[in-house]
Amino acid sequence: MNKFRILGVAFLAGMTVSFAQNIDQAKKEIDAEKYQAAKVTLKSIVKSDPSQGKAFFLLGNVYLYQNVADSAQMTYKSGLSAKNDAHFNYIGLGQLDLDNGKASAAKANFDSAIKEMKRKDFEEYVYVARAYMNSTKPDYKQALSTLELAKEKNGQEPQVLLAFGDAYYGDKNQNEAYSNYRNAFQADNSLIRAKVQLGVLLKGAKAYTEAVKAYSDVMATNPNYGPLHRELAETYYLWALNVPGRQDQYLKEALGHYEKYMSLTDYSLDSRMRHADFLILAKDYKALEIEANKMKEIDQVNPRIYRYLGYSAYQNNNVDLAIKSLTDYIANPSNKVISLDHMYLGLAQIKKGTSADGTSVDPVLFEKGLASIRKAVEIEKSVTNELGEVGKNLYEQKLYKEAAAILEIATSNNESSGFLYDNYYLGNAIYFDNAQPGVVKDTVALRKADIAYGNVITASPDTQDVYLSRARTNSLLGDDQAMIKYYQQYIDLVTKKGPEELAKPAVKAKLIECYNSMAAGYANFDKAKAKEFFAKTLALDPTNVYATQSLNLLK
């Protein structure tokens, strides 16, 4: 009998060790972002031993990482019935409450978990802090406050230090984040994520060279750590945006590292979707179309696939597929629609309505496209960054009215990256639309052009040609005083630049325009001034017919 009992204790001890090893394996898989592998490990644990509440909790967390909130909630609730560590699942339910804006319910769940802690326990505080950080509405101050409680229990624990680093990083305290990441790695040099985060801090400071160097140091010893390659991909992507002339090179690096990240994590549908999101950022639409079709083979009904099909179809000139895919996606009330969904639908509608030779646009489809684009901007105004190029293309096709409509939306965001150029092209589009022979002047639009040119002058007062454009616009408005003022500002600016600027043939021609137009304006209320400016024209061009004839009429 005693022998049986001894064997039983040994067996149970072995089971405990095995469970701990499997949990540690799952944690490593989660840290390495091998979510599919972690799900397999954790599902195996909960199936073979449903008494292990922490396995349910970690499995629920994986579902949350993959944005499957319903599965996460069911898993946490099942975990509450477990014999061991069931209380961890209250933390998961608390994060779901935070995501749904239920702060009081979240605190009640966190309190339910905390009251089950033993005297030396600290892990629960770390997970509560991470719930505050990982929520769709993160609260880094509350996370830091919670981590102070963990610090009281075990301030030198590497996971506590790592969590502090993440919380300070989210709270934009770079110095404290750096200190905690460094200390976490020193306390446990197997904690690769802490060292990777040191590179992330450099990336956030736009020190891309130094960030890549920091990542390379990690890669020298841990080349197969997936998140490292994801961070490298994102760093090279941002570097490409900020270094003109190197975009192709750095985007190629970015995409290469993201492919490596995929190969080191998994090719599940969720991972493919994250890859697709990155391909959208990198504007690799050929690869996006390939990825979207691969996802369709895996799951023909997942609605997000139609988003990716829509985006790639638009960029690859299959506008009918783009319109159908995005219309169907947006029409489904259960889908989470984002600004880019409306943006690409609108652009596809406009592209479909544009004639093959690019000289005309179907007004009905264009208005539909504008309505979709306006919805996109209502959701997220930063999408205006994408509109400048669209407006400029229409402008170059001499579709001035349509260009102005797009550029007016683009300039509604004064923080957009192309605000200055978009205003300049907006003013020009309106001016040329109203300067065409036989056109009835749209004074409301022309005043918008005047404001647009004013925005350019405010942002870049040395852009000399904008003064000419503003003067011409006010000439169409019949405002002689404003026209004269802006022509004079052009004259003052080029004169200030010196004889070399004044000697340029293009500048000389523009000065003649200024003098003749100002003289014509002065002729309406100050004939002496009109004669003075016609004389200035003749000083530059003695054979100028308009000035000569006008002076004769003024005598």
Side-chain angles (χ1 to χ4, degrees):
M1 183 68 178
N2 287 339
K3 184 177 179 180
F4 175 80
R5 288 180 61 193
I6 291 168
L7 286 172
V9 169
F11 177 75
L12 289 173
M15 288 285 288
T16 302
V17 170
S18 175
F19 166 74
Q21 289 174 338
N22 287 338
I23 283 289
D24 286 342
Q25 177 187 335
K27 285 181 177 179
K28 288 176 182 177
E29 289 165 344
I30 292 170
D31 175 67
E33 298 178 17
K34 296 180 178 181
Y35 297 129
Q36 206 63 21
K39 278 163 67 174
V40 171
T41 301
L42 292 164
K43 284 181 177 180
S44 175
I45 295 173
V46 299
K47 184 177 180 181
S48 62
D49 187 1
S51 68
Q52 303 301 335
K54 189 177 285 187
F56 284 95
F57 169 63
L58 293 173
L59 179 57
N61 287 354
V62 172
Y63 282 124
L64 275 189
Y65 292 137
Q66 296 185 320
N67 298 310
V68 190
D70 291 345
S71 295
Q73 185 177 49
M74 287 190 292
T75 304
Y76 293 139
K77 286 183 175 179
S78 297
L80 291 176
S81 302
K83 182 180 178 181
N84 304 314
D85 293 327
H87 63 289
F88 278 90
N89 291 280
Y90 285 114
I91 300 173
L93 292 171
Q95 182 178 330
L96 288 170
D97 287 330
L98 290 176
D99 291 347
N100 292 315
K102 300 176 181 178
S104 297
K107 186 177 183 308
N109 272 312
F110 295 151
D111 288 344
S112 294
I114 289 167
K115 75 179 182 181
E116 299 294 326
M117 292 172 64
K118 297 181 176 62
R119 189 168 61 87
K120 293 185 178 181
D121 288 349
F122 63 87
E123 196 176 15
E124 288 87 344
Y125 287 132
V126 173
Y127 279 121
V128 169
R130 290 211 171 276
Y132 279 115
M133 287 188 270
N134 294 336
S135 169
T136 54
K137 301 162 187 174
D139 185 341
Y140 296 106
K141 297 291 187 191
Q142 191 61 53
L144 287 166
S145 176
T146 305
L147 287 170
E148 288 295 333
L149 299 173
K151 187 177 179 180
E152 290 175 11
K153 297 291 190 78
N154 193 339
Q156 298 307 307
E157 162 61 38
Q159 289 294 337
V160 174
L161 294 168
L162 177 62
F164 262 117
D166 291 340
Y168 278 120
Y169 177 67
D171 200 40
K172 304 188 187 310
N173 187 332
Q174 307 298 298
N175 291 335
E176 287 294 338
Y178 179 89
S179 176
N180 279 278
Y181 287 140
R182 180 197 61 205
N183 293 343
F185 186 73
Q186 288 175 348
D188 179 2
N189 61 13
S190 71
L191 201 56
I192 308 168
R193 185 173 289 273
K195 195 168 184 182
V196 171
Q197 287 301 114
L198 295 174
V200 172
L201 290 173
L202 292 165
K203 176 188 73 175
K206 297 186 177 181
Y208 303 120
T209 302
E210 293 80 2
V212 169
K213 171 67 168 60
Y215 296 140
S216 297
D217 290 344
V218 179
M219 195 180 299
T221 54
N222 300 281
N224 294 322
Y225 184 61
L228 168 64
H229 291 277
R230 177 178 50 73
E231 291 296 347
L232 270 164
E234 292 176 7
T235 300
Y236 274 112
Y237 165 72
L238 292 171
W239 206 354
L241 294 184
N242 287 277
V243 182
R246 294 282 187 92
Q247 281 198 345
D248 290 345
Q249 176 190 343
Y250 289 155
L251 281 177
K252 185 177 179 181
E253 289 276 1
L255 291 167
H257 281 291
Y258 210 97
E259 292 292 342
K260 182 68 173 176
Y261 167 70
M262 292 284 290
S263 71
L264 291 170
T265 52
D266 59 54
Y267 283 93
S268 65
L269 183 64
D270 181 72
S271 292
R272 288 187 180 279
M273 285 183 174
R274 281 182 280 133
H275 184 213
D277 290 334
F278 188 79
L279 291 171
I280 292 168
L281 289 176
K283 301 185 186 302
D284 190 341
Y285 298 105
K286 293 292 184 185
L288 178 63
E289 186 172 16
I290 292 168
E291 190 65 280
N293 282 303
K294 285 180 180 176
M295 288 190 283
K296 195 174 179 181
E297 290 173 10
I298 297 171
D299 185 349
Q300 294 189 10
V301 298
N302 191 296
R304 264 177 66 188
I305 294 169
Y306 293 93
R307 166 186 290 162
Y308 303 129
L309 282 172
Y311 292 5
S312 58
Y314 165 73
Q315 294 291 349
N316 297 327
N317 292 313
N318 190 346
V319 291
D320 290 327
L321 177 60
I323 291 170
K324 183 179 188 319
S325 298
L326 291 169
T327 300
D328 290 349
Y329 181 81
I330 291 169
N332 188 337
S334 64
N335 290 339
K336 184 179 180 181
V337 178
I338 62 174
S339 59
L340 285 178
D341 301 331
H342 288 292
M343 174 68 77
Y344 276 105
L345 174 59
L347 294 177
Q349 289 165 329
I350 290 171
K351 186 179 280 191
K352 181 175 176 61
T354 305
S355 63
D357 60 4
T359 60
S360 64
V361 178
D362 181 303
V364 174
L365 279 171
F366 186 78
E367 284 303 318
K368 280 186 178 180
L370 276 185
S372 297
I373 290 169
R374 289 190 185 104
K375 286 180 184 176
V377 176
E378 286 173 14
I379 296 170
E380 176 52 64
K381 68 178 183 178
S382 68
V383 297
T384 52
N385 292 327
E386 307 293 324
L387 291 175
E389 197 63 30
V390 177
K392 184 182 174 185
N393 288 340
L394 290 167
Y395 173 85
E396 289 175 346
Q397 292 169 248
K398 295 183 169 39
L399 295 169
Y400 297 124
K401 190 179 293 295
E402 291 79 9
I406 293 290
L407 290 164
E408 187 174 355
I409 300 173
T411 56
S412 65
N413 176 16
N414 59 12
E415 295 177 357
S416 72
S417 57
F419 185 69
L420 188 152
Y421 290 105
D422 293 347
N423 271 282
Y424 189 63
Y425 278 106
L426 170 60
N428 283 356
I430 293 172
Y431 171 78
F432 284 118
D433 185 46
N434 283 272
Q436 297 178 80
V439 170
V440 177
K441 304 294 184 292
D442 184 342
T443 56
V444 173
L446 285 166
R447 289 192 182 95
K448 289 178 181 177
D450 180 66
I451 292 169
Y453 290 133
N455 289 335
V456 177
I457 291 169
T458 299
S460 181
D462 289 336
T463 305
Q464 61 196 45
D465 281 1
V466 72
Y467 296 97
L468 286 176
S469 299
R470 196 172 192 185
R472 292 165 183 164
T473 298
N474 278 279
S475 177
L476 286 181
L477 280 166
D479 189 338
D480 291 333
Q481 297 281 5
M483 173 196 68
I484 290 167
K485 180 176 76 170
Y486 296 122
Y487 273 131
Q488 186 61 55
Q489 287 177 355
Y490 173 82
I491 295 166
D492 293 343
L493 188 56
V494 295
T495 302
K496 183 179 176 182
K497 290 183 178 181
E500 188 175 342
E501 183 71 17
L502 291 168
K504 292 177 180 177
V507 172
K508 182 180 175 181
K510 290 169 184 174
L511 285 171
I512 291 171
E513 175 193 336
C514 292
Y515 295 143
N516 276 342
S517 298
M518 292 169 77
Y522 275 123
N524 294 321
F525 59 89
D526 190 335
K527 290 187 177 180
K529 275 284 188 184
K531 291 177 182 179
E532 176 188 334
F533 278 89
F534 280 131
K536 288 185 177 186
T537 295
L538 293 173
L540 288 176
D541 178 14
T543 63
N544 189 276
V545 176
Y546 178 72
T548 302
Q549 291 178 345
S550 298
L551 271 174
N552 289 332
L553 289 172
L554 287 170
K555 287 179 181 178

